Amino acid sequence: MQAPVLGIVIPCYNESEVLPITINALQKHLSDWIRNGKISNESFVLFIDDGSRDDTWRQIERIHQHDARFQGIKLAHNVGHQHALHAGLMEGYEAADCLVSVDADLQDDLDIIETFVKQFQAGVDIVYGVRTDRTSDSWFKRTSAQWFYRLEKALGVETIYNHADFRLMSRRAVAGLAAYPERNLFLRGLVPTLGFQTSEVPYTRAERLAGESKYPLRKMVALAWDGVTSFSVRPIKLLFFLSLFMVVVSGGFVVYTLYRFAEGETMSGWASLMLSIWFIGGLQLFGIGLIGEYVGKIFSEVKRRPSYTIEETLK
Ligand code: UDP
Ligand code: MG
């Protein structure tokens, strides 16, 4: 069987500290795989510079001049990891038989890409890299991730446990993804909805080799929230059940009050009145806020703005 053309897509945001190490490792791996006939010599690496403000793009230009297998796309501004990765998949899939997405910091194990490609050749369209050992992540990141997976499951969203965008996709799988018009991207949730034959390959996630994480808590929470609201309306449905419960409880109160009234008692109570006003008011605001989140999603979807703009291409 002919060796497939592999494209490795790497979103980069201010990664100049780690990029030289990454490029070195990739050069070595690409050469090895090509020499051993695992992948075609037309295989390439596609860097997506996600509006970096440091030396990242200059480094990509430099390596492209030396080694044309290294290609680059410079986005006009920072659009975030998911959109940068999406841009790379969209701009890269026509030239490749399969695409692998990797982070610039080499936390994902490049060695197992070979296994990915083997599975692809055996007919699998989507191969998920799954972390078995997360001790390199902080306790907080591990625990919050576990809770997130549980939440997704409870809400009926299909997600792959401990998988974080390190995966192989065949050209036709990415073409399938290209047909999705959505702007709120949570690729980990979107890719499983494509169908196709899939498999999982375990690996140990390493520490970031250099530079710092570009995912502060704020972005992690935003991503998780996108993961919920882009795939499930169950939170609004739960709101409906909450309202039913409140109706039943208040019905009970009405009966109780009338009963006491019939006994000739009027009930006083500043505390109970204040508490219920604040409680009900809070619940209502919560409900409006929750619906507002979905309305906001609709708003950003109907505008149909492009999810990225390309400033420069090196191919
Ligand atoms: N990234 C990006 N745009 C952003 C933030 C991050 O392209 O706005 C890239 C980043 O350069 C890296 C990948 O997304 O290649 C994952 O980011 P990071 O390693 O910082 O996340 P973590 O591993 O800490 O979750
Ligand atoms: Mg990382």
Side-chain angles (χ1 to χ4, degrees), residues 11-13 15 50 78 80-81 84 103-105 107 141 205 208 212-215 219:
C12 310
Y13 179 54
E15 295 289 9
D50 186 15
N78 180 252
H81 174 220
D103 286 351
D105 56 9
Q107 285 188 280
K141 200 154 186 160
R205 187 158 153 103
R208 192 177 235 286
E212 6 182 282
S213 170
K214 309 297 179 303
Y215 261 97
K219 281 198 199 168

Side-chain angles (χ1 to χ4, degrees), residues 193-211:
T193 66
L194 285 169
F196 290 110
Q197 194 183 337
T198 66
S199 68
E200 296 180 10
V201 176
Y203 72 101
T204 306
R205 187 158 153 103
E207 303 252 8
R208 192 177 235 286
L209 283 182

